[in-house]
Amino acid sequence: MERRVLLAAGLAGAMQGLGPNPAMAQGAGPALVEKKVFAPGAYRTRGGATIPNLRLGYQAAGRLNATGDNAILICHFFSGNSHAFGQLAANGPMGWWDAIIGPGKPIDTDRYFVVAVDTLVNVNVPDAGTVTTGPASLNPDTGRPWGMGFPVVSMRDFVETQKLLLDSLGVKRLALVAGPSNGGLQAIEWAAAYPDFVARVMPVIAADIDAWMQGWLDIWEAPIRLDPNWRDGDYYGAGREPPLRGLAEAWKIVTLHARDRLWAKQYDRTLPEGQDPARRIGDRFGIERWLDDAAAVRAKTSDANSFLYMVRANQLFLNEHPSLEAAMAQAAPRWLVVPSPTDRVFLIEGVRAFIEVLRKAGKQVETAEVTGSLGHLNGVVAMAPVGERIREFLAK
Amino acid sequence: MERRVLLAAGLAGAMQGLGPNPAMAQGAGPALVEKKVFAPGAYRTRGGATIPNLRLGYQAAGRLNATGDNAILICHFFSGNSHAFGQLAANGPMGWWDAIIGPGKPIDTDRYFVVAVDTLVNVNVPDAGTVTTGPASLNPDTGRPWGMGFPVVSMRDFVETQKLLLDSLGVKRLALVAGPSNGGLQAIEWAAAYPDFVARVMPVIAADIDAWMQGWLDIWEAPIRLDPNWRDGDYYGAGREPPLRGLAEAWKIVTLHARDRLWAKQYDRTLPEGQDPARRIGDRFGIERWLDDAAAVRAKTSDANSFLYMVRANQLFLNEHPSLEAAMAQAAPRWLVVPSPTDRVFLIEGVRAFIEVLRKAGKQVETAEVTGSLGHLNGVVAMAPVGERIREFLAK
């Protein structure tokens, strides 16, 4: 199961060719965390639909203070889950941001009460370490999985469900909301939705969504719809095959898009054994074989319909805000924005434009950059060097 | 037919939402060119296979001088054809680089003999204005289309077939070989293969291929293989449907990848009539609908198997050169390299690294940048501002 959690944490995992999880090499000592389930009953979406039986997984570390204002919320990336820090079992992998979260670390669980939540429509449904509500969940009205009948949800719905959890835990104010990529979008949405509840915001490898990103998200998901096994989302149950080929092709796009050419260099002129692409049109290059293998593994631990709903939640971020400038004018005051200059998903130009919007809105904005060969993924696996900047940001 | 040629010229065309072809607005007066066919008989590929009946379309303007050394070869991009300049009919569209090619223009057909050739495995097979040999051609041994039995060809095969044509036309030396994107790769290949035959090289929005690009090219083509109508390439003939859905998804990736976020801004928060993606999971955003429509049109004027072979020809560029440094050390001497800083296909970092390789190899390298909102496509549709730089480069 723990290997599956590592896969759930996803693109950063050792199974995808990055070598040992950088967080695992920290050696900061075990910090066992418990996976819990939040099940508040019915939830009404921003679109006006009702989800009768909301269930979301989460984990927490540290202790909430008497005034309830030392809480930090960590939001996960597109393919991730709430396992952002600590270990769920003694021999299991560390969370994906464990390099900066834990006792004595920049996001210090000796001082802060740190919470991370599995989102709605989380893609890691087949993973026992993920608890979510989405198209693969049972619709109590029919006794069958929702499939494409599940209500559309948005980033704001992620925020609202997290707010319900934080309220139930007694949190009165967040000292920080932070996350990479899709997690950064959630942080921005939090800052806009609950400006007085949020003291500090740290979007990492993220900015607002624009039409360019909406188009790319559509490209990510298109192979799923092309797979004949997708059957308009009706592939659950005995005797049916999930659209694993289409889902694997979708992951292949995400996997490459989230990396960079410097990372790919290791595959220059490599050929899998027996392959001769100069003479046989069906044969593969080294980089293709690596993508094939990584994506096939990832497809088995994720759900195609949930992928479609997660894409939509990201796309809707643009249309939910009639004016980004107006939304940010009302937003929380203090920001640490952390782009990766070689990010091919959230382009550095886009992050800079977002920072400009924040500054024009009068926010206090600091920036720090994550660097490395991994492009977008630097914001997941290469956070250690910006740890002290985060510590200082929290101290201000 | 002329509208189809415009589509063949492809991504830059008016049919894809760019408004009137920038070249058409030049008003430099008609320059009628004739589409011709080069049919030298059998051709043996670099991989050792034989194509019994090579046929390639081309067009030429200007007059070859007595010493045969005032020729210029223009190579086309992935989705393009030889219609780089002039008009094929009085009311037809201008060629895709007509802004810089023609009487008195920077690539001056009053002074130079300018040739452009349809490549092998050209994707625009269904277009009557394109003449190529590829998987959709009849295999004389079987009387049926080659399909995936067509030999793999490489960028070097493009060069060799063009060399046969130039030899037949009496060309002794190229004053310049130039082209955008895939055309730039052909120019680089020319410089490496025939350094004494090539006086000047101008790769536009192009550098060498690396594993990163090989991976992206695989992503471009993946939807074709997913389409059940593809049938391992055996979709030609009565009663069979070509894999238009997969091919359209492939074009959608190319189309977005070749543009940029500044271009996409016009679709921010646009919704097609009746679409409500916040409430219905099947509904579309403005940018998605535009991509759907543009790609569906493009799929009808192109061939899926040829797309796969064109991808392979591009990918092979890396593996055909065991060392780029060694290849460039032997290459032609004078270069004008023209990147687009917002190119998402050939990243500016990659072009800069390529320029560094040329400089270390002792070449005379100049650079000029194409700018605009269109990213990669700036190198097709926004060339006019670098026209004088090209004129000066040719005069040196």
Side-chain angles (χ1 to χ4, degrees), chain A residues 299-347:
Chain A
K300 285 180 195 150
T301 60
S302 55
D303 173 61
N305 287 341
S306 302
F307 190 109
L308 302 178
Y309 276 84
M310 186 57 98
V311 158
R312 178 58 56 87
N314 278 270
Q315 290 176 317
L316 278 171
F317 183 92
L318 170 62
N319 295 53
E320 280 213 322
H321 295 287
S323 158
L324 180 70
E325 289 74 9
M328 291 303 103
Q330 306 297 322
R334 306 181 75 104
W335 295 69
L336 174 57
V337 182
V338 185
S340 164
T342 55
D343 193 334
R344 310 306 173 189
V345 181
F346 283 94
L347 299 172

Side-chain angles (χ1 to χ4, degrees), chain A residues 201-264:
Chain A
V201 196
M202 184 175 77
V204 175
I205 51 170
D208 54 308
I209 292 283
D210 56 11
W212 170 256
M213 291 283 298
Q214 285 182 328
W216 274 108
L217 287 158
D218 180 48
I219 281 169
W220 286 10
E221 74 166 41
I224 292 171
R225 296 179 189 271
L226 264 180
D227 188 324
N229 285 343
W230 178 58
R231 299 162 50 105
D232 291 322
D234 188 18
Y235 55 78
Y236 303 109
R240 299 198 177 164
E241 289 292 325
L244 289 183
R245 273 189 72 207
L247 182 54
E249 291 297 343
W251 282 124
K252 206 186 286 185
I253 307 173
V254 178
T255 301
L256 192 64
H257 208 176
R259 284 174 167 75
D260 183 39
R261 53 185 288 278
L262 295 180
W263 162 83

Side-chain angles (χ1 to χ4, degrees), chain B residues 26-85:
Chain B
Q26 280 271 318
L32 282 180
V33 289
E34 188 188 343
K35 185 91 189 198
K36 296 175 183 167
V37 176
F38 175 57
Y43 169 72
R44 188 169 170 82
T45 70
R46 296 284 289 180
T50 298
I51 300 170
N53 50 359
L54 182 67
R55 291 182 84 242
L56 297 177
Y58 71 101
Q59 62 174 56
R63 188 180 297 251
L64 189 66
N65 64 13
T67 46
D69 62 359
N70 72 328
I72 290 179
L73 179 67
I74 305 296
C75 305
H76 67 71
F77 46 98
F78 187 96
S79 62
N81 71 2
S82 64
H83 189 204
F85 51 88

Side-chain angles (χ1 to χ4, degrees), chain A residues 50-53 138-144 146:
Chain A
T50 298
I51 300 170
N53 49 358
L138 284 186
N139 177 351
D141 289 346
T142 66
R144 302 193 55 228
W146 286 91

Side-chain angles (χ1 to χ4, degrees), chain A residues 20 24 34 57 70 75 91 110 112 155 172 177 200 216 247 267 328 343 345 349 355 381:
Chain A
M24 294 181 72
E34 188 188 343
N70 72 329
C75 306
N91 295 319
D110 288 338
Y112 294 98
M155 211 55 61
K172 302 299 179 200
V177 56
R200 296 175 194 80
W216 274 108
L247 182 54
Y267 296 100
M328 291 303 103
D343 193 334
V345 181
E349 296 95 322
I355 290 169
V381 300

Side-chain angles (χ1 to χ4, degrees), chain B residues 110-131:
Chain B
D110 289 339
R111 303 184 54 187
Y112 293 99
F113 176 61
V114 185
V115 182
V117 192
D118 296 332
T119 61
L120 285 161
V121 302
N122 190 293
V123 297
N124 304 292
V125 178
D127 165 40
T130 302
V131 180

Side-chain angles (χ1 to χ4, degrees), chain B residues 225-276:
Chain B
R225 297 180 189 269
L226 264 180
D227 188 324
N229 284 343
W230 178 58
R231 299 162 49 105
D232 292 321
D234 187 18
Y235 55 79
Y236 302 110
R240 299 197 177 164
E241 290 292 325
L244 289 183
R245 273 188 71 207
L247 183 54
E249 291 297 344
W251 281 123
K252 206 185 285 185
I253 307 174
V254 179
T255 301
L256 192 64
H257 208 176
R259 285 174 168 74
D260 182 41
R261 53 185 287 276
L262 294 180
W263 163 83
K265 277 257 165 273
Q266 63 192 299
Y267 295 100
D268 274 3
R269 298 186 185 81
T270 62
L271 288 179
E273 199 179 326
Q275 297 293 292
D276 187 1

